[in-house]
Amino acid sequence: MARVKLWGSLSRMADGQKEFEIDAPNIDRMLTALGEAAPKLKPILAKGVTVSIDGTLYRLDKFQAIQPDSEVYILPKMAGG
Amino acid sequence: MSQVHVTTKINGDSTEYLCDADETLLDVLRDRLQMTGSKEGCGTGDCGACTIILDGRPVCSCLVLGAEAEGRSVETIEGMANGEELHPLQRHFLNGAALQCGICTPGILVAAKALLAQNANPSETEIRYWLAGNLCRCTGYDKIIRAVQSAAAEMRGETHAA
Amino acid sequence: MPLDRDPADRTYKVVGHRHNRPDGIDKVTGRAKFGADLAAPGLLHGRILRSPHAHARIKSIDTSKALALEGVKAIVTAADFPDHPQVLEDGELTNIRYNVMAREKALYDGHAVAAVAASNPRIAAKALKLIEVDYEVLPHVVDVELAMKDDAPILHDHIRTEGMEDAPDCPTNVAERIELGYGDVEAGFAEADVVIERQFRTGAAHQGYIEPHACLANISGDGSGDLWCCTQGQFMVRDVCAQLNGMDVSKLRVTPSEIGGGFGGKTTVFIEPVAVALSRKAGKPVKIVMNRGEVFRATGPTASSAIWVKMGCKRDGTITAAQAELKYQGGAFPGSPVSMGAMTAFACYQPKTLKAIGWDVVTNRPKQAAYRAPGAPMAAFAVESIVEELAHTIGMDPVDFRLKNAATSGSKSAYGPTYSDIGLVETLEAVKAHPNYAIKLGPNQGRGVASGFWFNFGGQTAVTLNLNIDGTVALSVGTPDIGGSRASMCAMAAEELGIPYHHVQTIIADTGSLGFNDVTDGSRVTFASGLATIEAARNAAKVLCERAAKIWGIPADAVTWENGCAVPAGPNAGEFPPMTIKELAKKAGETGGPIAGHFEVSADGAGPSFATHLVDAEVDRETGRITILRYLIVQDAGKAVSPAYVEGQMQGGAVQGIGWALNEEYIYNDKGVMENPGFLDYRVPVASDLPMIDTQIVEVPNPGHPYGVRGVGETSIVPPLGAVANAVAAAVGARPEELPMSPPRLLKLMKEQAQPLAAE
Ligand code: FES
Ligand code: FES
């Protein structure tokens, strides 16, 4: 079970819950499971978020593997200059 | 509107062209003579990307009318290298990484050439003030100033080619 | 792709050495072709009519008189960008469409309203004057805090504040609220011995690339065609232009010109879809080149901001609480980089508790575009000002104070995730050890320090490498080269293949010749295209080994690639003399056909880059003029592939930051019209304003790249605003809270609070 942590505004949408224990092999499955656990998050997740796994930011790759002991953060969508 | 017939010398070659009375020399060079080495960054004399040498003096070609070149001599970036052989300023700019995007480079090279023609050994401050009309947004000027200094030193015979 | 075992042990033959760049000669001789440098037979010239009002309903547009003018070949308005389904599905695309051509309302001074194509620019300009637009002028708002008020003029009826569960269901200019943090900040402040809070403001700065936007569209009768333009992303331009014009993406080929600076400002479209529409309507090639006034009024500057920061620390320097509220206006559409401001604000430190709130606000200004580390510099300015003040208040050296709280490898970042290997501490230590830190200052002089952070991104990347008959290599990448990246690509391919640097030629491919690539942004090119180049070269080396194996009649895995040659892997593989890349290239046809390597990836793991800047400034108390005496940049580049260009990126970013700190801002009059849309009044730093910019590169390898490379282009603009402000504060004994510190503002500050700051 990976620990999935939400940034502040997102956790408000999840009724204040900041952390979820989710068993998912990759980002895509994890986001689906998260949307099921907190349905209000779905539209935001669908609009796009950045996912950090063990400190590495993933803006695109939805099939990046998540290890059971991974530290996972859901962060706002990001872009550079 | 009838056009003006102009006879002038560009990079040593006699050239003739027709232009509108209100057309700038920069537009003539770029649009009529396909000499697109001179750039337009502002069109108002504030960026120096269009710098050329007119009768030995650096000017913003966006502020000169095409018709005003009649009977005068124009030097542009296209005339700076001698065939395959680069001008020392061009070489030092390349070797010193004095350009990033390169849009300001033609104007700065032409302006620097005009400086070294009248002052073979300018101080850093003199170079900075001379080039104050040539904007560069990429480099922070540091490597440009150094490249002018090292090209000047080579041209004075103090160092070897870069 | 992970770092190759131990980069410290690896010696590079090509990477990290100085090389001339492949586009160099063309750029010093005037041969290089930039956006405005292309012509075509029968070319028409496009011009755009722009709203003179900050906010106005467009009641009608009458183009009949303009169309009747001899030489006018086509006119387009919003009606020429109808509601294609793929546009309406995508909110951002809908906003881009509205931004490139105003629809029911003009939303800012300079908003495009109509466009003309005519046989020469002078006729096009005349035609613009003949277009009759009936405007109903509406109240406007350009200030971020005024736009948040309940009675502010509303730009869009459909906007509701996202990220607030209790947001009222009525139109607002506040598009989003974001919040992040951890711990209890109130408890953190209670624990602190010193608490400081201040309210800051920063102006909107423009990227100020010297090359105005330019493009040339040539769409033929069957609806397919070509577009030439200066952009940070030809694939993005193709996709957006095709979709807005209802074309199949495959019908449009976009060729990127040389690009005369971008800094984020060319990561979107402005004139390109309009040129495509005009060319299609006229059936002729159409060129549009913006003038400088249009670049200022109608492209994308950065957000302006109002930022409140409160921080507390103990006597020993430990930061116990950090809190910020950031309000960014991003112009007429949602999307200011406030979330990145909130995430980066405290990213250099490890405060015990943290809370950051961000507001994304729309105003009657041009839609903001990315500008180097979008959102970060203004937040860093506010935070670094308070950090410096805390250090002085407790009597601690400002670098030691930062070291005490610095983010380290393996520490938790302020925005959540744990950092991998990072180099902030190394930059701080290098600043402390630098001779500039010990130079004695004179009267009216001050010294300032500031650190900065940027995430860096990867992105979708495709690279193709082809071997030529003589053993040289043609490398195609899809990320426009803004600052010399082609040289880095050549170096990485040469390193992998074991061939000389000048045997590799890199081109930036058009959209028809290479797979999709994201825009050049987020300092991603050296990282992501570099990573793909390395993999493509490794794939080509694999093919080369297979060919040698075939010739030798041994298994492919019995051959390895070393120093530009195929060699038997070990004694068991047999005795064969090394076969060079040149020999193998010559035999390519006989051994199976052309030899190539390619690689496609969504690159992630870019690895953040930190920097610390040190500046000495002198203030003229009579005129309010600030002179930068010395400037030092220390930045972590992971591995500097082209050191001279890494230094150049650092210097260029720092000077842009100095401009933002001292002079640059959008100035609006009471009608919401920009008053300084030119380089005369919007003053960017010139050579005589500056000293030499000292640089020191620190190399803490990025574990996410085979050579340890990190992006360097963006971090360099993050620290300067705070560093310069701190130097000025030290010189005058009063803290600048508003940027830019123009002479009138500084004179006012000195008059109002001429007493020395605590302990300064
Ligand atoms: S284009 Fe002539 S000075 Fe800018
Ligand atoms: S190198 Fe880009 S403007 Fe000077």
Side-chain angles (χ1 to χ4, degrees):
Chain A
M1 297 283 255
R3 289 163 156 259
V4 176
K5 301 186 189 175
L6 307 183
W7 94 83
S9 322
L10 260 195
S11 73
R12 282 171 175 261
M13 294 293 160
D15 298 318
Q17 195 173 336
K18 291 197 161 145
E19 226 178 281
F20 290 79
E21 297 268 329
I22 291 181
D23 191 9
N26 60 38
I27 293 178
D28 187 61
R29 300 282 187 82
M30 180 272 293
L31 292 176
T32 309
L34 185 60
E36 272 153 25
K40 278 195 231 159
L41 287 180
K42 273 192 191 161
I44 302 176
L45 299 178
K47 261 182 69 182
V49 289
T50 303
V51 177
S52 159
I53 304 176
D54 298 324
T56 300
L57 299 177
Y58 295 92
R59 291 192 301 169
L60 294 164
D61 189 355
K62 287 265 155 31
F63 293 89
Q64 187 65 36
I66 299 177
Q67 305 306 325
D69 57 345
S70 285
E71 171 206 77
V72 179
Y73 275 86
I74 316 279
L75 301 168
K77 204 170 168 175
M78 300 183 190
Chain B
M1 191 174 6
S2 68
Q3 295 193 315
V4 190
H5 175 262
V6 177
T7 308
T8 184
K9 219 172 207 135
I10 300 183
N11 298 327
D13 297 332
S14 296
T15 309
E16 290 178 59
Y17 55 80
L18 291 172
C19 67
D20 290 352
D22 58 351
E23 201 173 335
T24 66
L25 179 55
L26 177 62
D27 284 344
V28 169
L29 289 169
R30 292 179 50 84
D31 297 342
R32 297 196 186 263
L33 305 175
Q34 276 76 53
M35 296 175 71
T36 55
S38 307
K39 306 298 178 191
E40 177 166 332
C42 66
T44 51
D46 299 315
C47 78
C50 63
T51 305
I52 57 155
I53 298 177
L54 188 62
D55 285 348
R57 282 193 31 217
V59 295
C60 294
S61 61
C62 69
L63 297 182
V64 177
L65 290 174
E68 289 178 77
E70 172 66 36
R72 303 171 78 174
S73 130
V74 174
E75 289 167 68
T76 71
I77 184 68
E78 284 90 350
M80 199 156 163
N82 181 9
E84 284 204 329
E85 189 196 331
L86 295 180
H87 186 280
L89 277 164
Q90 291 173 309
R91 242 185 310 107
H92 284 269
F93 266 58
L94 275 182
N95 293 336
L99 54 142
Q100 286 178 29
C101 79
I103 192 86
C104 67
T105 311
I108 291 183
L109 284 169
V110 169
K113 181 178 148 192
L115 167 64
L116 299 188
Q118 66 166 60
N119 179 355
N121 192 6
S123 66
E124 180 192 332
T125 307
E126 285 170 327
I127 300 172
R128 287 188 179 278
Y129 277 90
W130 183 273
L131 293 179
N134 290 83
L135 301 182
C136 173
R137 193 60 160 170
C138 298
T139 63
Y141 305 104
D142 181 298
K143 294 187 190 307
I144 291 175
I145 306 301
R146 290 179 201 274
V148 174
Q149 288 173 323
S150 60
E154 182 193 321
M155 288 165 72
R156 291 192 306 269
E158 288 169 19
T159 55
H160 293 295
Chain C
M1 188 181 4
L3 185 66
D4 287 351
R5 286 162 331 274
D6 189 356
D9 282 358
R10 175 158 185 174
T11 50
Y12 294 97
K13 293 211 174 81
V14 190
V15 163
H17 299 268
R18 296 189 185 234
H19 302 288
N20 277 344
R21 51 197 268 183
D23 54 330
I25 302 267
D26 282 356
K27 285 190 174 163
V28 297
T29 54
R31 266 199 297 258
K33 291 265 176 270
F34 289 84
D37 294 344
L38 199 69
L43 185 66
L44 301 180
H45 296 265
R47 288 290 303 266
I48 293 180
L49 181 69
R50 298 184 179 281
S51 168
H53 306 297
H55 196 191
R57 192 169 308 286
I58 299 172
K59 293 180 15 195
S60 66
I61 303 178
D62 182 352
T63 58
S64 53
K65 287 198 189 117
L67 264 176
L69 183 70
E70 189 186 324
V72 172
K73 305 293 180 188
I75 297 183
V76 298
T77 64
D80 294 277
F81 298 96
D83 290 342
H84 303 295
Q86 68 270 33
V87 175
L88 298 184
E89 266 162 32
D90 180 335
E92 181 56 13
L93 202 54
T94 312
N95 289 344
I96 290 174
R97 180 179 66 159
Y98 199 159
N99 194 41
V100 300
M101 198 56 77
R103 303 183 84 80
E104 49 277 13
K105 293 201 289 183
L107 293 170
Y108 53 90
D109 162 47
H111 200 165
V113 179
V116 173
S119 48
N120 75 43
R122 294 169 286 281
I123 295 177
K126 215 180 274 169
L128 292 189
K129 298 209 177 95
L130 296 174
I131 298 177
E132 291 166 2
V133 186
D134 187 6
Y135 292 105
E136 175 195 342
V137 178
L138 302 169
H140 70 275
V141 60
V142 295
D143 178 83
V144 61
E145 288 181 299
L146 295 180
M148 293 176 76
K149 293 217 158 119
D150 286 339
D151 58 351
I154 294 292
L155 274 80
H156 301 276
D157 290 333
H158 66 271
I159 291 183
R160 304 288 180 276
T161 309
E162 282 183 31
M164 266 173 86
E165 62 270 51
D166 50 352
D169 186 26
C170 57
T172 168
N173 293 323
V174 182
E176 191 174 6
R177 175 191 189 278
I178 68 128
E179 181 184 334
L180 55 98
Y182 52 80
D184 176 356
V185 278
E186 290 315 322
F189 286 122
E191 197 191 337
D193 295 316
V194 180
V195 174
I196 296 177
E197 65 180 292
R198 283 182 187 273
Q199 175 72 45
F200 299 92
R201 293 177 68 84
T202 65
H206 193 276
Q207 298 83 351
Y209 33 81
I210 306 300
E211 178 196 33
H213 298 257
C215 65
L216 194 164
N218 198 352
I219 311 297
S220 55
D222 69 350
S224 68
D226 284 288
L227 177 66
W228 159 275
C229 63
C230 56
T231 176
Q232 288 178 249
Q234 63 272 40
F235 295 90
M236 170 278 300
V237 171
R238 175 193 64 180
D239 296 356
V240 173
C241 288
Q243 291 180 79
L244 293 187
N245 282 286
M247 298 162 73
D248 288 344
V249 169
S250 63
K251 291 267 172 69
L252 186 63
R253 183 173 72 154
V254 180
T255 305
S257 68
E258 292 295 336
I259 173 172
F263 317 113
K266 292 176 182 167
T267 55
T268 182
V269 296
F270 300 102
I271 52 176
E272 297 83 357
V274 179
V276 168
L278 281 171
S279 172
R280 187 157 70 169
K281 219 168 174 176
K284 293 228 167 79
V286 173
K287 175 164 162 178
I288 301 183
V289 180
M290 276 192 178
N291 62 36
R292 182 55 54 182
E294 292 180 284
V295 172
F296 277 114
R297 287 168 66 213
T299 65
T302 185
S304 65
S305 74
I307 302 174
W308 169 82
V309 172
K310 179 176 177 184
M311 294 175 80
C313 72
K314 294 206 277 208
R315 288 258 158 244
D316 71 354
T318 311
I319 299 174
T320 56
Q323 191 176 359
E325 181 169 15
L326 307 98
K327 301 168 184 167
Y328 286 20
Q329 69 73 29
F333 298 90
S336 81
V338 72
S339 61
M340 294 193 284
M343 284 190 284
T344 56
F346 301 105
C348 291
Y349 306 108
Q350 306 186 48
K352 289 171 77 176
T353 62
L354 184 150
K355 182 171 178 178
I357 294 173
W359 302 92
D360 176 21
V361 182
V362 298
T363 65
N364 294 109
R365 295 189 186 215
K367 184 182 196 301
Q368 68 88 35
Y371 182 19
R372 260 189 157 135
M378 38 296 225
F381 155 62
V383 169
E384 291 296 310
S385 294
I386 300 283
V387 163
E388 191 93 349
E389 212 174 342
L390 284 174
H392 287 304
T393 309
I394 61 166
M396 200 163 167
D397 174 274
V399 174
D400 287 336
F401 183 81
R402 287 177 173 85
L403 277 167
K404 167 113 192 152
N405 293 285
T408 56
S409 302
S411 72
K412 256 178 110 45
S413 70
Y415 57 95
T418 304
Y419 285 122
S420 53
D421 294 351
I422 56 169
L424 174 60
V425 168
E426 285 78 354
T427 68
L428 285 162
E429 272 163 359
V431 162
K432 231 184 135 178
H434 196 278
N436 282 13
Y437 202 57
I439 293 174
K440 266 209 124 21
L441 294 175
N444 296 321
Q445 299 183 349
R447 176 164 296 154
V449 182
S451 295
F453 155 90
W454 184 246
F455 304 97
N456 291 328
F457 300 125
Q460 294 189 69
T461 309
V463 161
T464 295
L465 180 154
N466 285 293
L467 189 60
N468 302 321
I469 49 163
D470 58 353
T472 62
V473 162
L475 180 66
S476 299
V477 302
T479 41
D481 175 356
I482 311 192
S485 62
R486 268 166 291 192
S488 302
M489 300 307 134
C490 289
M492 286 189 253
E495 185 76 48
E496 281 303 319
L497 290 171
I499 58 178
Y501 169 84
H502 64 271
H503 281 192
V504 184
Q505 192 69 25
T506 305
I507 61 142
I508 311 299
D510 67 70
T511 57
S513 356
L514 191 67
F516 182 87
N517 276 265
D518 277 327
V519 295
T520 291
D521 77 349
S523 312
R524 77 183 206 86
V525 171
T526 310
F527 169 74
S529 282
L531 184 148
T533 295
I534 292 167
E535 283 302 300
R538 289 179 181 174
N539 287 338
K542 217 179 288 163
V543 177
L544 285 160
C545 288
E546 284 162 20
R547 300 298 171 89
K550 231 185 219 181
I551 295 168
W552 291 331
I554 61 174
D557 59 6
V559 180
T560 58
W561 191 255
E562 270 169 30
N563 296 323
C565 298
V567 292
N572 296 339
E575 290 266 328
F576 301 100
M579 194 168 283
T580 64
I581 193 166
K582 196 169 171 180
E583 291 170 85
L584 286 161
K586 214 168 164 186
K587 290 198 169 90
E590 309 159 13
T591 55
I595 296 173
H598 60 102
F599 195 71
E600 296 77 27
V601 66
S602 279
D604 284 303
S609 174
F610 288 85
T612 301
H613 292 196
L614 175 70
V615 53
D616 291 348
E618 180 169 316
V619 171
D620 181 327
R621 289 187 172 269
E622 289 203 341
T623 62
R625 187 186 150 83
I626 297 163
T627 306
I628 305 295
L629 302 171
R630 274 169 222 103
Y631 202 101
L632 168 69
I633 307 166
V634 183
Q635 188 173 335
D636 176 16
K639 168 77 198 162
V641 176
S642 301
Y645 286 94
V646 169
E647 289 168 12
Q649 288 285 331
M650 288 157 57
Q651 291 165 330
V655 168
Q656 285 182 320
I658 292 171
W660 197 343
L662 296 184
N663 292 308
E664 296 179 33
E665 71 177 316
Y666 273 51
I667 299 170
Y668 284 92
N669 67 16
D670 59 1
K671 299 214 160 49
V673 170
M674 186 184 180
E675 288 208 305
N676 57 338
F679 280 138
L680 190 60
D681 299 312
Y682 180 100
R683 200 169 172 286
V684 308
V686 303
S688 55
D689 294 338
L690 296 160
M692 292 298 188
I693 309 289
D694 301 327
T695 57
Q696 195 172 326
I697 300 173
V698 169
E699 293 187 328
V700 177
N702 168 20
H705 186 280
Y707 299 171
V709 168
R710 298 175 195 273
V712 290
E714 295 190 273
T715 302
S716 53
I717 202 172
V718 182
L721 283 62
V724 173
N726 287 338
V728 170
V732 304
R735 187 150 288 281
E737 292 177 330
E738 185 164 3
L739 298 186
M741 290 171 267
S742 55
R745 272 196 197 119
L746 188 64
L747 287 174
K748 188 161 163 265
L749 177 75
M750 286 190 289
K751 214 162 116 202
E752 281 169 5
Q753 19 175 322
Q755 71 276 58
L757 290 179
E760 273 184 355

